Amino acid sequence: MSIAFKIEATSGEARAGRLITPHGEVETPVFMPVGTLASVKGVSQDVLEELGVQILLGNTYHLYLRPGIEQIRKLGGLHRFMAWPRAILTDSGGFQVFSLNELRKVTEEGVTFRSHLDGSSHFFSPESAMEAQIGLGADIIMAFDECTEYPADAERVRQSMELTLRWAERSKKCFEEHKEEVPWGAHCGSREADKSVRPTRADQTQALFGIVQGGMDAALRKESAERTIEIGFPGYAIGGLSVGEPRALTREIVESTVAHLPADRPRYLMGVGTPEEIVEYAGLGIDMMDCVLPTRAARHGLLFTSEGKVSIKQARYAGDEGPLDAKCGCRVCSRYSRAYLRHLYASNEVLAQVLNTVHNLSFYLDTMRAVRHSIALGRGARFL
Amino acid sequence: MSIAFKIEATSGEARAGRLITPHGEVETPVFMPVGTLASVKGVSQDVLEELGVQILLGNTYHLYLRPGIEQIRKLGGLHRFMAWPRAILTDSGGFQVFSLNELRKVTEEGVTFRSHLDGSSHFFSPESAMEAQIGLGADIIMAFDECTEYPADAERVRQSMELTLRWAERSKKCFEEHKEEVPWGAHCGSREADKSVRPTRADQTQALFGIVQGGMDAALRKESAERTIEIGFPGYAIGGLSVGEPRALTREIVESTVAHLPADRPRYLMGVGTPEEIVEYAGLGIDMMDCVLPTRAARHGLLFTSEGKVSIKQARYAGDEGPLDAKCGCRVCSRYSRAYLRHLYASNEVLAQVLNTVHNLSFYLDTMRAVRHSIALGRGARFL
């Protein structure tokens, strides 16, 4: 028993449902905030709970470097380490390593790369990525894949896709052999201290998702989907998008790939997107998404509102007494003025990052809430 | 009508009471967190409320530079600008300017100084400090004084004290002439938007406190106190301490100065101290204190606990599952482990600053709560 997925409403290609994980339920379609180093930068876990976050994403590569997998495993896993009782998903480290560009070398066995922190040499393979993710103990973990660069020629895309398929098999094999080693598993015994972050049933394990690659080639995407499904996973991700290609192409590939994914399994589109895009992808039948955009943009003073983007650093807001977004009910919009947010940003106050991040996440979560409601009403995935 | 001060219990020299300001009541002895630029660095106002903060300190010098007094005045004053409905005290800018060292020049008229931000030249006088503080609209504002450097010879200390006395008269005269101009005053009309931050009675004005100087000379302190009282203020501060002198000397001067201050007026000791020191000064009859120590130390990973100081950056905490302070009930200690706090600090995560600041402020406020309780029980000012 790892996860269960229930579709409760459909409208066109869009679906609204419920993902039941060892650490609670997640209403889908869902946007997952990114907590790279076991923290959504600047935001305390109780505020995330209040925002209604039901699942967070952690980055295996970063946590592997700091504080280290073994440290987190010994402390009972990521939930307990960061005092987050709800669901977590970790990536495999593949995409992060891919982002290192010049610092990595890919072989059949795995990837050798240099740390962005100190240049030290490390090696990730499907097996070590499983070991790391089992040690972290997220509810949902990802197969180790190669994210194909863009642009890439046909031969390169096929090669890369085949490698990802072989790595998917190795990931699954290794996971099946070691899944009982999850730090909150039945064998761990009960600890008084972390009752709040233990799964409801002691026999639960993590869920390993497969990743579809295939570049920007619809036929290869179809083949990758079919062969990944053949290996068999409780959920499927679409990787290798949002890597520099035009947005129309992203949409085209998402649409054609989704058609080859089983309707009864959750579909996770990795690394997207703007508020408009996440609504659009939900409309195409995507159930899960993640992106650093709302949190990273917040740190640069770029805020999402019902009336479009606001660059809060602009002098025009210095005397603006209105809320950031009059239609937003978040704790930032209901208390502070644009003038104050502008002052905090212009003065380099840490509270600027805190408040901006809270608002942007609130906006993303509200957007997904509206999308779910709209699907339930049979109106497709759109802003209400 | 500006403020009222009621003493509700005494024990030895210590007093526990209530300071009634236009923006709410403040239980004394009180520790006032410093919100230099209209923000306690990293902590949202709702968290400050939850911590039980009843009065905040703002720095006139910093706010004068960013976002500027006129900007805040136009927006209805500091309470409204920063969405803080409870009491605020502003300093006069004198101490900040004093801290600029090489960048300032003092004359009878006032102080010419250069901005620490861009080197631009500015001038503060008793009159401009009153204008600035009336524009900011804090509940309690401070006379413009010269903070005498340490060490200083007898002649220099007297000269400086005399200057502060002349400036106190000018401060009071200017304040009396302009106090109706406070941005939340009766003349401002009612604005729907800021009901929550308006004083309960429209005829209320700010309270101007005088500042006792006199260096480390008990006789001059006595003279400064008597002549400042002669000018007449609703509260008195002891300035010019914590400027590098030994702690035993600070205590001696505080003790001897307090003896010359009227028992029925609030006594504010500026710029102190450690948890032990604030308890000690409360025991000497001090009612109000402020210091950047808890917030600044938090940013450097130095945390105050019931078992002493903890430098959370130390590797020894990397695997420590216990709370920062087992006796502390704050939202940090009740949720997170030392291991997690250490990880956040070591990884340079912004949440480290947020959580560390919340804990340190909580510890200071709890300390003062315990002191008030102890005084009420007739046990003097001490930790319970």
Side-chain angles (χ1 to χ4, degrees), chain A residues 7 32 34 37 41 70 82 115 126 145 234 262 278 288 296 300 364 375 382:
Chain A
I7 294 172
M32 304 182 284
V34 178
L37 271 165
K41 297 190 186 308
E70 184 54 18
M82 65 184 289
S115 157
D145 65 329
I278 61 175
M288 303 162 69
R296 183 173 291 166
H300 294 100
Y364 266 66
I375 296 169
R382 58 175 187 184

Side-chain angles (χ1 to χ4, degrees), chain A residues 38 41 46 331 335 340 349, chain B residues 38 41 46 331 340 349:
Chain A
K41 297 190 186 308
D46 51 284
R331 57 160 74 198
R335 180 157 201 158
Y340 183 63
E349 282 289 316
Chain B
K41 296 191 187 306
D46 51 283
R331 57 161 72 200
Y340 184 63
E349 282 288 317

Side-chain angles (χ1 to χ4, degrees), chain B residues 97-281:
Chain B
V97 167
F98 162 84
S99 307
L100 294 174
N101 290 308
E102 299 312 303
L103 300 174
R104 77 193 140 91
K105 183 170 171 253
V106 181
T107 66
E108 181 65 30
E109 191 49 31
V111 185
T112 305
F113 61 94
R114 291 193 178 278
S115 156
H116 71 288
L117 294 176
D118 62 6
S120 57
S121 185
H122 301 270
F123 178 72
F124 270 9
S125 67
E127 291 75 19
S128 73
M130 289 307 105
E131 187 191 0
Q133 289 186 90
I134 292 169
L136 293 174
D139 299 273
I140 299 172
I141 69 177
M142 304 303 297
F144 191 67
D145 65 328
E146 184 183 52
C147 180
T148 315
E149 68 281 2
Y150 175 85
D153 64 37
E155 180 53 26
R156 163 68 191 138
V157 175
R158 168 162 288 282
Q159 262 183 2
S160 175
M161 182 199 81
E162 296 281 356
L163 182 65
T164 286
L165 285 164
R166 291 191 297 274
W167 285 359
E169 288 202 63
R170 283 167 57 188
S171 293
K172 184 177 177 184
K173 178 166 182 289
C174 181
F175 175 69
E176 290 299 334
E177 287 167 6
H178 295 278
K179 65 184 180 187
E180 303 298 333
E181 294 163 24
V182 66
W184 38 261
H187 70 292
C188 294
S190 90
R191 307 194 217 202
E192 275 308 303
D194 66 339
K195 271 186 182 159
S196 68
V197 296
R198 286 182 66 80
T200 38
R201 286 177 44 186
D203 61 341
Q204 287 172 316
T205 56
Q206 300 169 281
L208 172 65
F209 279 23
I211 303 179
V212 174
Q213 290 286 349
M216 306 302 157
D217 181 324
L220 283 184
R221 285 279 171 182
K222 175 171 186 284
E223 181 177 344
S224 176
E226 289 169 349
R227 290 171 60 188
T228 307
I229 293 163
E230 214 166 287
I231 299 170
F233 295 96
Y236 296 93
I238 303 176
L241 293 179
S242 242
V243 290
E245 79 281 8
R247 280 291 166 269
L249 185 53
T250 317
R251 190 201 141 95
E252 198 182 304
I253 297 295
V254 170
E255 194 165 13
S256 75
T257 306
V258 161
H260 305 294
L261 295 177
D264 62 349
R265 300 285 162 95
R267 302 158 177 169
Y268 165 27
L269 178 57
M270 305 178 87
V272 296
T274 65
E276 293 75 15
E277 286 163 5
I278 62 175
V279 173
E280 187 181 3
Y281 299 137

Side-chain angles (χ1 to χ4, degrees), chain A residues 217-240:
Chain A
D217 181 324
L220 284 182
R221 285 279 171 181
K222 176 172 185 285
E223 182 177 343
S224 175
E226 288 170 350
R227 291 170 62 188
T228 307
I229 292 163
E230 214 165 285
I231 299 170
F233 294 96
Y236 296 93
I238 303 176

Side-chain angles (χ1 to χ4, degrees), chain A residues 267-347:
Chain A
R267 301 159 176 169
Y268 165 27
L269 178 57
M270 306 178 86
V272 296
T274 64
E276 293 75 16
E277 286 163 5
I278 61 175
V279 173
E280 187 182 2
Y281 299 137
L284 297 176
I286 294 296
D287 306 301
M288 303 162 69
M289 288 167 271
D290 77 284
C291 195
V292 293
L293 183 57
T295 42
R296 183 173 291 166
R299 297 199 291 280
H300 294 100
L302 193 68
L303 303 172
F304 298 98
T305 78
S306 59
E307 307 204 322
K309 280 182 280 191
V310 167
S311 176
I312 201 68
K313 70 185 78 174
Q314 291 175 9
R316 58 196 281 213
Y317 301 120
D320 189 338
E321 298 189 80
L324 174 58
D325 185 349
K327 288 186 186 156
C328 176
C330 83
R331 57 160 74 198
V332 178
C333 290
S334 57
R335 180 157 201 158
Y336 302 106
S337 66
R338 290 177 165 196
Y340 183 63
L341 295 176
R342 196 266 171 182
H343 161 68
L344 292 178
Y345 190 88
S347 302

